[in-house]
């Protein structure tokens, strides 16, 4: 999947916050404080679509864009992609587990219990 650039992340934040397919104009309006050109936002959305981070659908002569996954799903995929970069996933996971805070340990433990109850995702 790959990491996103700063402007791509900003555009994705709009899509994640909206939660429904939006027009390019909606994104431009949401980012009015950044004073971005319509064509700039359109280009960013086109790049995100090519990266398969967003999908688009026709709406008359325009396109509506929406995130392929939610914010949490995207971050989880980044974490899995990072694990793929190592030759030793177990070592990387162990190092990660040893570095998280106690509240995060509790969240992970609860998630693993839920997984055990329902089976792998």
């Amino acid at each position: 999947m790959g990491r996103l650039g700063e402007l791509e992340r900003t555009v994705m934040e709009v899509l994640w916050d909206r939660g429904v397919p939006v027009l390019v104009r909606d994104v431009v309006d949401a980012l009015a404080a950044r004073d971005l050109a319509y064509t700039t936002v359109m280009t960013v959305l086109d790049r995100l679509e090519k990266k398969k981070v967003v999908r688009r659908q026709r709406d008359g002569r325009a396109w509506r864009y929406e995130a392929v996954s939610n914010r949490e799903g995207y971050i989880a995929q980044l974490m899995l992609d990072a694990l793929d970069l190592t030759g030793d996933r177990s070592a990387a996971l162990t190092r990660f587990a040893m570095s998280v805070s106690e509240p995060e340990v509790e969240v992970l433990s609860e998630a693993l219990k839920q997984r055990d109850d329902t089976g792998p995702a």
Side-chain angles (χ1 to χ4, degrees):
M1 177 175 286
R3 295 177 54 125
L4 301 177
E6 186 256 328
L7 186 52
E8 291 173 326
R9 278 193 316 273
T10 301
V11 168
M12 287 304 300
E13 290 295 332
V14 172
L15 297 181
W16 285 322
D17 289 345
R18 295 291 172 95
V20 296
V22 296
L23 298 168
V24 174
R25 174 58 51 204
D26 299 326
V27 179
V28 171
D29 292 346
L31 300 175
R34 302 263 324 238
D35 198 29
L36 298 169
Y38 181 95
T39 54
T40 299
V41 174
M42 187 173 59
T43 299
V44 170
L45 285 164
D46 186 56
R47 270 193 265 134
L48 290 168
E49 196 262 338
K50 286 182 172 125
K51 290 181 176 184
K52 299 186 184 336
V53 179
V54 303
R55 65 179 148 255
R56 66 184 185 180
Q57 60 192 41
R58 254 308 168 200
D59 184 358
R61 294 178 51 192
W63 291 102
R64 287 195 177 269
Y65 293 86
E66 68 180 324
V68 169
S69 65
N70 62 20
R71 188 180 283 111
E72 294 77 13
Y74 172 74
I75 297 299
Q77 187 59 53
L78 281 179
M79 294 167 73
L80 290 169
D81 291 349
L83 280 175
D84 287 342
L85 297 175
T86 180
D88 189 347
R89 286 175 72 108
S90 294
L93 281 169
T94 300
R95 178 71 180 233
F96 175 76
M98 300 304 282
S99 68
V100 298
S101 68
E102 194 57 38
E104 293 166 333
V105 168
E106 292 175 23
V107 169
L108 287 170
S109 294
E110 184 59 35
L112 290 171
K113 286 179 195 168
Q114 288 177 13
R115 182 176 185 237
D116 288 343
D117 291 344
T118 61

